[in-house]
């Protein structure tokens, strides 16, 4: 089941890209988590050490996933989908943390966010489902069934509430459906709905539409507190723009940020890590980071073309969109184009659930790529 020879056939180009992104993560976490002035130039803060441990675990998961034959995931897909639903439902029977139901925590032992793993599991399950439909994949019945299978975890995650994670499932399902040949009319309708909603939200965030003037229209289809998440004038939104603007062309320098480093930027080492990095390393640093993300996503989509079976192709498409959407949504949040919704910036945001899950996704992609000449 696990073949070490697959490790010799991976795409070596991804290694420097991922290592550079992880190094950027450690630099920002170190700078943003120094607790006193005398610590401001100490690299090894407690959270840096924790993130290094997560990086090591992530690489271990990556190599295990590469050696594991991705085609065996078919046999586990239905079981994984069931476990995912049980974990998502179970969140509502444990104590809320910061008024939301997102984490399972065993103090001092374990903490994880099942919605992170849910995205990966859903990609695996949809790949199995779409391949199994075969010649019937283009029927209206298949489109409705797929909508139900995606809709259940979508609603459970939305109820936590976790709008950002829920919305990432939407484009993943659409792209996988496109590659599989799901009913074109349904895909066009759902794509049009998603793009229309995105268009109006972005118009509010760039100031073309007034948030208050749009309130009656939006609150007719959503609750008041849900609409408030679309407010472009929150302190967090303004602070992220301020941090990026302070960075200018070359940034203030590592450990020299006076805005983010003084904790005026909320969640500087988690949700707002892009803005914090921008303050210290400027436009040049952000451009290099964006280049690395572009390269990673480009290499990932190349796996879609290299896959030799439908399951591998659907799986690669879903995982590539998974990576791309995290980057686009997080950066859109920090640039005040999208609402703050807690979507992590892969490889850079502090935290274990996101990092390990992303490394597992990358490992499955490389499992597909390394077996591109096998039948």
């Amino acid at each position: 089941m696990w073949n070490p020879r697959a490790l010799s056939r991976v795409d070596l180009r991804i290694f420097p890209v991922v290592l550079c992104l992880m190094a950027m993560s450690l630099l920002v976490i170190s700078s943003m988590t120094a607790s006193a002035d005398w610590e401001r130039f100490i690299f090894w803060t407690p959270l840096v050490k924790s993130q290094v441990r997560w990086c090591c675990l992530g690489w271990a998961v990556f190599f295990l996933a590469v050696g594991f034959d991705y085609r065996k995931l078919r046999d586990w897909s239905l079981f994984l989908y069931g476990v995912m639903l049980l974990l998502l439902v179970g969140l509502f029977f444990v104590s809320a943390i910061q008024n939301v139901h997102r984490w399972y925590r065993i103090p001092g032992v374990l903490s994880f966010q099942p919605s992170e793993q849910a995205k990966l599991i859903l990609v695996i399950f949809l790949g199995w489902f779409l391949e199994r439909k075969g010649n019937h994949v283009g029927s209206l019945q298949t489109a409705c069934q797929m909508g139900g299978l995606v809709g259940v975890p979508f609603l459970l995650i939305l109820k936590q509430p976790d709008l950002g994670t829920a919305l990432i499932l939407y484009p993943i399902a659409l792209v996988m459906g496109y590659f599989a040949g799901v009913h074109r009319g349904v895909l066009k309708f759902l794509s049009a709905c998603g793009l229309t909603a995105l268009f109006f939200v972005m118009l509010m965030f760039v100031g073309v539409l007034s948030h208050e003037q749009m309130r009656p229209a939006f609150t007719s289809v959503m609750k008041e507190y849900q609409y408030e998440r679309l407010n472009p004038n929150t302190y967090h939104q303004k602070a992220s723009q301020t941090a990026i603007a302070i960075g200018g062309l070359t940034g203030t320098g590592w450990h020299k940020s006076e805005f983010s480093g003084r904790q005026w930027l909320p969640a500087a080492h988690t949700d707002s890590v892009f803005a914090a990095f921008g303050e210290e390393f400027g436009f040049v640093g952000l451009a290099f980071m964006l280049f690395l993300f572009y390269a990673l996503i480009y290499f990932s989509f190349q796996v879609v073309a290299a896959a030799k079976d439908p399951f591998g192709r659907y799986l690669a498409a879903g995982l590539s969109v998974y990576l791309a959407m995290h980057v686009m949504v997080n950066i859109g949040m920090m640039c005040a184009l999208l609402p703050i919704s807690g979507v992590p910036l892969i490889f850079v945001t502090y935290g274990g659930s996101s990092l390990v899950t992303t490394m597992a996704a990358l490992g499955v992609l490389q499992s597909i790529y390394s077996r591109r000449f096998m039948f």
Side-chain angles (χ1 to χ4, degrees):
M1 184 177 292
W2 192 82
N3 185 358
R5 290 184 298 175
L7 301 177
S8 65
R9 295 189 289 265
V10 299
D11 187 350
L12 297 177
R13 297 175 298 177
I14 69 166
F15 288 96
V17 172
V18 174
L19 288 171
C20 282
L21 289 171
M22 286 181 172
M24 291 177 173
S25 173
L26 298 179
L27 288 173
V28 179
I29 294 170
S30 173
S31 182
M32 296 299 119
T33 59
S35 59
D37 287 340
W38 64 270
E39 289 184 335
R40 295 198 66 188
F41 292 96
I42 295 177
F43 179 77
W44 294 104
T45 67
L47 290 187
V48 170
K49 295 176 183 178
S50 175
Q51 188 72 352
V52 169
R53 289 193 291 269
W54 285 119
C55 289
C56 293
L57 179 59
W59 279 113
V61 170
F62 170 82
F63 288 117
L64 284 173
V66 173
F68 184 83
D69 190 342
Y70 71 92
R71 291 169 291 191
K72 298 294 183 182
L73 291 172
R74 292 189 186 99
D75 303 331
W76 291 87
S77 57
L78 193 58
F79 171 76
L80 290 172
Y81 183 79
V83 171
M84 173 191 73
L85 293 182
L86 287 175
L87 288 173
L88 292 176
V89 171
L91 283 172
F92 299 100
F93 296 92
V94 299
S95 301
I97 299 173
Q98 297 177 352
N99 297 320
V100 295
H101 296 272
R102 296 183 189 174
W103 294 276
Y104 286 105
R105 280 188 179 173
I106 303 175
V109 179
L110 179 67
S111 174
F112 74 98
Q113 187 176 352
S115 59
E116 288 296 328
Q117 290 77 35
K119 290 174 281 191
L120 179 56
I121 291 172
L122 188 65
V123 171
I124 296 170
F125 179 74
L126 286 181
W128 167 81
F129 171 78
L130 293 170
E131 183 189 48
R132 189 167 175 267
K133 284 298 178 179
N135 295 330
H136 301 289
V137 73
S139 68
L140 184 60
Q141 181 183 17
T142 297
C144 293
Q145 291 172 344
M146 182 178 174
L149 294 170
V150 177
V152 173
F154 177 90
L155 292 174
L156 287 173
I157 294 173
L158 192 63
K159 186 67 176 175
Q160 292 178 4
D162 190 351
L163 176 64
T165 298
L167 292 181
I168 285 177
L169 301 181
Y170 196 89
I172 286 176
L174 288 178
V175 172
M176 292 185 71
Y178 172 80
F179 277 96
V182 170
H183 195 285
R184 289 292 185 256
V186 174
L187 290 181
K188 289 179 181 178
F189 173 75
L190 292 175
S191 298
C193 290
L195 289 173
T196 300
L198 179 63
F199 177 71
F200 277 102
V201 169
M202 292 185 70
L203 286 180
M204 280 197 295
F205 274 78
V206 298
V208 175
L209 296 177
S210 167
H211 181 259
E212 288 302 317
Q213 289 176 353
M214 296 299 295
R215 184 182 296 275
F218 275 82
T219 52
S220 64
V221 295
M222 62 173 60
K223 295 180 180 179
E224 188 72 28
Y225 77 90
Q226 293 173 325
Y227 182 67
E228 279 307 311
R229 297 177 195 163
L230 303 180
N231 188 349
N233 299 312
T234 64
Y235 175 78
H236 199 161
Q237 292 280 1
K238 299 300 182 183
S240 63
Q241 296 176 70
T242 300
I244 294 172
I246 290 173
L249 182 63
T250 58
T252 59
W254 183 55
H255 270 286
K256 295 180 180 179
S257 60
E258 291 297 327
F259 187 79
S260 303
R262 299 294 181 181
Q263 299 182 353
W264 292 333
L265 174 65
H269 64 291
T270 53
D271 293 350
S272 306
V273 69
F274 181 81
F277 184 85
E279 181 180 354
E280 294 200 335
F281 297 94
F283 175 78
V284 174
L286 290 178
F288 181 59
M289 179 185 284
L290 290 174
F291 169 76
L292 293 174
F293 279 126
Y294 169 79
L296 181 68
I297 294 167
Y298 177 76
F299 299 153
S300 298
F301 274 103
Q302 284 186 324
V303 179
V304 182
K308 294 302 182 183
D309 65 296
F311 178 67
R313 186 163 59 253
Y314 306 153
L315 199 56
L319 294 174
S320 298
V321 176
Y322 165 88
L323 298 175
M325 288 306 301
H326 277 81
V327 175
M328 294 172 64
V329 172
N330 183 275
I331 294 175
M333 289 171 6
M334 292 300 101
C335 294
L337 296 175
L338 294 172
I340 302 292
S341 54
V343 174
L345 186 61
I346 53 173
F347 300 117
V348 184
T349 292
Y350 171 79
S353 291
S354 172
L355 180 59
V356 173
T357 305
T358 304
M359 290 300 287
L362 200 61
V364 174
L365 276 169
Q366 289 305 304
S367 177
I368 299 168
Y369 184 81
S370 66
R371 290 167 175 81
R372 61 195 181 279
F373 299 124
M374 300 172 66
F375 299 93

